[in-house]
């Protein structure tokens, strides 16, 4: 019984709320059953080294909800195991694009019909990211957060109760506590994807990574380090540039592009020069979309599986699962390389 209700002294979540959430979670997972007695206020306060008034506040809230009942001289007992509330989910993405739509709708399809989702965007603005989370902490019972920043935003994310948090796409190592996450391992993913196609890259003298700075495009630091490691390990000339310069595109070289806007400009330039994609010049695009399957007969991509991420995400939320899962990532071969 001592392990039933645990208090994390480092958490920003109030201790009475942690007690309340622990009891409800134990009822939901079947650990606490109807008619079972809870620890007394004195026992729980002593075990967790907290004030009795804190335990009393949590128990009173549970009593008002009809979850437990006080029996005079005997203690507190579970009286209602139907405690599962409808999911009210705060979803915070960086920006909207085709693959985020795939992720969102795959997540939505896997959730119960009564789940409510509110979608927000931070557009890589740290202040907006902080205000959106801070202003909504008491409005939702689940938070799906995409922390697309190459800076530490753990102070903001740590305000969210860990049993209500799912971090997606980018790992956030500085976030403390036990929380759910489904993420990309950017450095190792890009290295492994490029390492899977030496036959295709050997046709080209050089591979250039275009970061698309200033186009509402997030490029994790791990991508650049994994890209450089690939070049060093395989003795392939690899360069990194911040922006696409169409006039600097050279025949006999290959390019890895992040921005869809750069992708269109690149294809237009290739047409203007009369070159053939996959022969005269190579093209890899980051993140797959339905358009890339058909554009120019197919654009080679390196991409995580966003539909899989959405399905996994919905399962984690639906089952209240706390785990950290790396999402699948691969290179998809098409005609442009």
């Amino acid at each position: 019984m001592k392990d039933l209700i645990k208090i994390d002294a480092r958490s920003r979540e109030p201790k009475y709320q942690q007690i309340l959430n622990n009891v409800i979670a134990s009822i939901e997972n079947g650990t606490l059953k109807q008619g079972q007695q809870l620890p007394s206020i004195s026992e729980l306060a002593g075990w967790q080294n907290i004030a009795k008034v804190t335990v009393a506040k949590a128990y009173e809230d549970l009593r008002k909800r009809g979850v437990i009942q006080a029996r005079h001289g005997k203690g507190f007992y579970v009286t209602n195991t139907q405690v599962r509330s409808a999911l009210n989910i705060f979803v915070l993405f960086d920006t909207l694009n085709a693959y985020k739509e795939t992720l969102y709708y795959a997540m939505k399809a896997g959730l119960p019909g009564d789940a409510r989702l509110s979608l927000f965007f931070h557009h890589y603005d740290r202040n907006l990211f902080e205000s959106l989370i801070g202003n909504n902490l008491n409005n939702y019972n689940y938070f799906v957060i995409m922390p697309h920043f190459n800076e530490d935003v753990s102070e903001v994310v740590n305000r969210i109760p860990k049993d209500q948090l799912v971090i997606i796409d980018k790992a956030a190592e500085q976030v403390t506590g036990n929380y759910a996450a489904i993420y990309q391992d950017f450095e190792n993913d890009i290295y492994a994807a490029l390492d899977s196609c030496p036959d295709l890259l050997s046709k080209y003298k050089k591979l250039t990574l275009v970061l698309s700075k200033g186009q509402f495009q997030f490029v994790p630091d791990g991508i650049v380090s994994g890209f450089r490691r690939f070049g060093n390990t395989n003795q392939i000339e690899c360069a990194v540039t911040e922006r696409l310069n169409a006039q600097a595109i050279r025949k006999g070289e290959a390019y890895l592009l992040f921005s869809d806007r750069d992708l269109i400009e690149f294809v237009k330039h290739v047409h203007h020069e009369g070159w053939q994609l996959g022969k005269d010049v190579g093209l890899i695009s980051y993140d797959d979309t339905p358009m890339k399957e058909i554009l120019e007969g197919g654009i080679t991509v390196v991409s995580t599986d966003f539909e899989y991420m959405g399905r996994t995400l919905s399962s984690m939320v639906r089952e209240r699962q706390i785990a950290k899962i790396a999402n699948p990532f691969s290179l998809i071969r098409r005609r442009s390389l």
Side-chain angles (χ1 to χ4, degrees), residues 20-148:
L20 188 150
N21 290 341
N22 271 249
V23 171
I24 290 178
S26 296
I27 293 173
E28 287 184 337
N29 64 31
T31 304
L32 273 177
K33 303 183 186 302
Q34 188 163 349
Q36 190 167 349
Q37 185 176 10
L38 294 177
S40 71
I41 291 176
S42 296
E43 285 175 332
L44 184 53
W47 293 342
Q48 297 296 332
N49 193 28
I50 57 177
K52 293 180 181 178
V53 67
T54 301
V55 181
K57 183 177 181 180
Y59 279 13
E60 177 61 14
D61 196 330
L62 289 165
R63 188 192 66 78
K64 288 179 178 179
R65 296 187 186 195
V67 176
I68 66 174
Q69 183 182 70
R71 297 179 185 172
H72 184 68
K74 294 185 178 181
F76 297 88
Y77 293 81
V78 177
T79 56
N80 181 14
T81 57
Q82 302 301 313
V83 296
R84 196 178 189 95
S85 57
L87 290 168
N88 189 20
I89 306 171
F90 173 93
V91 182
L92 181 56
F93 286 173
D94 51 356
T95 189
L96 182 63
N97 51 34
Y99 64 86
K100 302 286 173 45
E101 287 190 44
T102 299
L103 167 60
Y104 178 81
Y105 286 114
M107 173 183 65
K108 186 176 181 179
L111 291 171
D114 62 350
R116 292 172 291 175
L117 286 83
S118 298
L119 181 59
F120 301 87
F121 303 95
H122 60 71
H123 300 296
Y124 318 110
D125 183 326
R126 167 68 183 260
N127 292 330
L128 179 58
F129 180 80
E130 183 169 1
S131 66
L132 284 170
I133 291 175
N135 292 336
N136 286 285
L137 283 176
N138 298 318
N139 300 333
Y140 297 88
N141 56 24
Y142 240 96
F143 295 81
V144 176
I145 306 296
M146 185 177 284
H148 275 186

Side-chain angles (χ1 to χ4, degrees), residues 251-275:
K251 193 174 183 179
E253 298 184 5
Y255 298 82
L256 171 54
L257 307 181
F258 268 82
S259 164
D260 285 352
R261 181 182 300 176
D262 284 350
L263 171 63
I264 298 302
E265 290 302 313
F266 188 95
V267 170
K268 287 167 62 176
H269 184 76
V270 168
H271 285 186
H272 180 267
E273 295 294 331
W275 296 341

Side-chain angles (χ1 to χ4, degrees), residues 63-296:
R63 188 192 66 78
K64 288 179 178 179
R65 296 187 186 195
V67 176
I68 66 174
Q69 183 182 70
R71 297 179 185 172
H72 184 68
K74 294 185 178 181
F76 297 88
Y77 293 81
V78 177
T79 56
N80 181 14
T81 57
Q82 302 301 313
V83 296
R84 196 178 189 95
S85 57
L87 290 168
N88 189 20
I89 306 171
F90 173 93
V91 182
L92 181 56
F93 286 173
D94 51 356
T95 189
L96 182 63
N97 51 34
Y99 64 86
K100 302 286 173 45
E101 287 190 44
T102 299
L103 167 60
Y104 178 81
Y105 286 114
M107 173 183 65
K108 186 176 181 179
L111 291 171
D114 62 350
R116 292 172 291 175
L117 286 83
S118 298
L119 181 59
F120 301 87
F121 303 95
H122 60 71
H123 300 296
Y124 318 110
D125 183 326
R126 167 68 183 260
N127 292 330
L128 179 58
F129 180 80
E130 183 169 1
S131 66
L132 284 170
I133 291 175
N135 292 336
N136 286 285
L137 283 176
N138 298 318
N139 300 333
Y140 297 88
N141 56 24
Y142 240 96
F143 295 81
V144 176
I145 306 296
M146 185 177 284
H148 275 186
F149 295 91
N150 281 321
E151 62 177 296
D152 182 11
V153 293
S154 60
E155 182 183 356
V156 180
V157 180
N158 274 328
R159 299 175 190 172
I160 301 170
K162 299 306 183 295
D163 62 337
Q164 299 176 17
L165 172 64
V166 185
I167 292 177
I168 58 170
D169 204 42
K170 182 182 184 294
E173 293 85 358
Q174 297 89 350
V175 174
T176 58
N178 192 23
Y179 60 90
I182 178 166
Y183 63 93
Q184 299 187 57
D185 182 356
F186 291 105
E187 179 173 346
N188 291 320
D189 284 347
I190 192 66
Y191 180 92
L194 294 175
D195 201 45
S196 72
C197 61
D199 55 316
L200 298 179
L201 291 175
S202 64
K203 297 186 293 182
Y204 305 101
K205 296 177 290 186
K206 182 179 178 181
L207 175 62
T208 297
L209 169 62
V210 182
L211 300 180
S212 308
K213 287 288 184 71
Q215 293 190 28
F216 286 108
Q217 181 66 50
F218 172 70
V219 181
D221 290 339
I223 292 291
V224 178
S225 55
F227 179 79
R228 294 191 189 280
R229 179 160 63 93
F230 167 77
N232 293 335
T233 302
N234 293 276
Q235 297 183 327
I236 294 175
E237 184 178 359
C238 290
V240 178
T241 184
E242 289 193 354
R243 296 174 181 84
L244 179 69
N245 179 358
Q247 304 310 313
I249 299 172
R250 294 180 176 87
K251 193 174 183 179
E253 298 184 5
Y255 298 82
L256 171 54
L257 307 181
F258 268 82
S259 164
D260 285 352
R261 181 182 300 176
D262 284 350
L263 171 63
I264 298 302
E265 290 302 313
F266 188 95
V267 170
K268 287 167 62 176
H269 184 76
V270 168
H271 285 186
H272 180 267
E273 295 294 331
W275 296 341
Q276 183 178 340
L277 272 177
K279 181 178 180 182
D280 299 315
V281 66
L283 172 60
I284 308 172
S285 182
Y286 201 89
D287 291 327
D288 198 21
T289 66
M291 176 193 73
K292 294 173 187 177
E293 293 184 46
I294 59 174
L295 181 66
E296 296 296 304

